[in-house]
Amino acid sequence: MTGSPGSGVPGASPVDRAGAVAKVVRVVEAITDHSGVSEISRSTGLSTSTVHRIIQELVALGWVRGDGEHGYLPGAGLLTIAARADSEAGMSVVGPILEKLRDATTHTVHFALRQGDQAVYVAKVEGHRAYEMRSRVGLAIPLHSTGIGKALMAALPEAEVRLLLGRTGMREMTPRTITEPDAMISHLHTIARRGYAVDNEENEQHTRCIAAVVRDHRGAPIGGISMSAMAFEIDQKRVQQLAPLVTAAAGDVSLALGYRPTADAVGHKRVR
């Protein structure tokens, strides 16, 4: 048996000699093109057991998420890191949509992805106002008290929403926060019917947001788009004027991510 000089393992292949970090990098790179463990294994040359172990660790960290069909996709953690490194990294398609919404409304626009029982901002476009929102890319936000969170939950099955609310505890963020599960479920029915959510100073006083759900290429609700402003700037009449712009932007982002309404995945149903 022979081996490469310096390998330390006679006859070891380059994949066998790859360090732990290199293996993780290969798996992360492969997930951008492949979703199944077997496909990733073939693409990387790593064993299926190694790929499965690495993926489970990445899922625990929020870097990878399940696609609901025994496959995996890049998670909010990876997108957040990319956004922190470069505000346009990984957002070359989504960025112009967010900017268009900001220009049409003049208000701050956010794009957040679900990560477990919360959501994480992966992009922010500051509004054309005299003030700035305190939000930032990488900030984790609760689902029950935010527009994006409520828009996302309204697209989930009721049983899943109740389990989620039970885990999070529905902390009161402001006097307007909905803190009872039954009241939230009723509220989510309204959101599902009209197609958008409003954070009516529920997460932060004096701030009002309009949000709509974003879906991935399989039809799964993965996050949302929101438009945020000081509450005094968005009364009920203004909400009705701006909501169609927000829902249209969320739809455009979903399409950019591969979502096709006619091919909506079975099982991804709204609260009912």
Side-chain angles (χ1 to χ4, degrees), residues 143 146-156 188 191 196-197 211-213 221 223-224:
L143 299 185
T146 59
I148 286 177
K150 294 192 296 180
L152 194 158
M153 289 195 296
L156 297 174
L188 295 180
I191 292 171
Y196 66 90
V213 68

Side-chain angles (χ1 to χ4, degrees), residues 17 20-21 33 62 74 80 88 97 119 125 131 136 142 155 162 185 195 201 205 207 209 217 224 234 247 260 272:
R17 295 195 306 271
V21 173
D33 295 314
T80 299
E88 297 181 358
I97 299 173
V125 180
Y131 57 84
R136 56 178 173 76
R162 287 189 179 277
I185 294 299
E201 301 184 70
Q205 289 184 310
T207 299
C209 304
H217 68 288
I234 311 179
T247 57
R260 297 296 179 266
R272 55 190 175 89

Side-chain angles (χ1 to χ4, degrees), residues 30-205:
I31 284 176
T32 62
D33 295 314
H34 308 285
S35 62
V37 172
S38 296
E39 294 175 330
I40 296 171
S41 174
R42 286 192 294 271
S43 174
T44 60
L46 299 171
S47 69
T48 55
S49 61
T50 297
V51 170
H52 185 267
R53 175 179 55 78
I54 291 173
I55 286 178
Q56 293 309 305
E57 292 177 358
L58 292 173
V59 168
L61 292 170
W63 283 31
V64 172
R65 62 184 175 85
D67 63 4
E69 298 182 6
H70 308 294
Y72 299 91
L73 297 168
L78 283 176
L79 290 176
T80 299
I81 288 175
R84 282 173 172 170
D86 182 346
S87 62
E88 297 181 358
M91 295 293 164
S92 59
V93 176
V94 174
I97 299 173
L98 305 184
E99 292 174 358
K100 180 180 177 181
L101 178 60
R102 185 272 313 275
D103 292 341
T105 65
T106 73
H107 297 302
T108 299
V109 174
H110 298 96
F111 176 31
L113 293 174
R114 181 181 179 183
Q115 185 172 343
D117 290 343
Q118 57 189 5
V120 176
Y121 288 133
V122 295
K124 175 185 179 182
V125 180
E126 198 68 57
H128 297 311
R129 316 303 290 177
Y131 57 84
E132 293 186 0
M133 290 293 168
R134 293 189 295 177
S135 54
R136 56 178 173 76
V137 169
L139 179 67
I141 58 174
L143 299 185
H144 73 287
S145 60
T146 59
I148 286 177
K150 294 192 296 180
L152 194 158
M153 289 195 296
L156 297 174
E158 180 176 331
E160 182 177 347
V161 172
R162 287 189 179 277
L163 288 174
L164 188 156
L165 296 178
R167 291 192 299 268
T168 62
M170 302 184 70
R171 175 187 172 192
E172 182 178 302
M173 307 299 289
T174 77
R176 292 178 177 267
T177 307
I178 299 173
T179 58
E180 294 295 330
D182 287 343
M184 177 61 73
I185 294 299
S186 177
H187 183 57
L188 295 180
H189 280 296
T190 299
I191 292 171
R193 286 195 300 270
R194 70 188 180 193
Y196 66 90
V198 177
D199 165 7
N200 188 26
E201 301 184 70
E202 296 161 53
N203 193 62
E204 186 176 340
Q205 289 184 310

